[in-house]
Amino acid sequence: MLRYDLINKSWIVGPHARRAYRAAAILSLFLLPVVLAIKEAYPVPIYLRQLLLLTLLGTSLNCIGMEYFLFRFDDSGALKQIFWFFVMLFVPFGPALYCFIVYSRSKGHERSLIDGGNEIGVSSENRLP
């Protein structure tokens, strides 16, 4: 069993995962304005620190989820995958763009919505006990 088989497909492609990654993408877009606000305010207010933590968590969740989706579930052509790989290097905007343009419109989401959010194409013998 390979390491990437330990991650459940519904964690990446599912209705709850879709909402979580979209929210993380929105949070990651606020990273640059929050960093600029912190740079301008010398005694950094506590709400800016908390907002920075939220945006960093959203950015990291979005980066990890979108890279995993790109390498495992993206069914587009090789040139498109290479292009999006290089776009996603520009954190936080690259993974957010990938989330809104490619991930949200993928065919895996349509299948997961039809199936009710259950695992698709994974046999019971591949699951962990």
Side-chain angles (χ1 to χ4, degrees), residues 18 66 69-70 73-76 80-81 83-84 88 95-109:
R18 186 177 186 181
M66 292 305 104
F69 179 80
L70 175 69
F73 301 112
D74 193 5
D75 56 356
S76 60
K80 282 186 179 181
Q81 289 180 354
F83 169 75
W84 281 111
M88 286 199 319
L97 281 175
Y98 183 79
C99 179
F100 291 130
I101 296 173
V102 178
Y103 174 76
S104 294
R105 297 177 183 171
S106 72
K107 294 177 184 174
H109 289 296

Side-chain angles (χ1 to χ4, degrees), residues 1 5-6 123-129:
M1 177 181 293
D5 288 338
L6 297 176
S123 65
S124 61
E125 61 194 33
N126 288 340
R127 293 187 193 170
L128 291 176

Side-chain angles (χ1 to χ4, degrees), residues 15 22 33 38 42 92 105 110 125:
R22 281 185 176 177
I38 288 176
Y42 173 65
R105 297 177 183 171
E110 295 170 4
E125 61 194 33

Side-chain angles (χ1 to χ4, degrees), residues 24-66:
I26 290 170
L27 277 175
S28 68
L29 290 177
F30 287 111
L31 180 64
L32 188 62
V34 169
V35 168
L36 291 176
I38 288 176
K39 185 178 176 183
E40 292 298 320
Y42 173 65
V44 180
I46 190 73
Y47 67 88
L48 279 180
R49 290 183 200 169
Q50 293 172 346
L51 193 57
L52 178 66
L53 177 66
L54 282 174
T55 57
L56 287 174
L57 288 174
T59 302
S60 61
L61 177 69
N62 197 25
C63 288
I64 292 168
M66 292 305 104

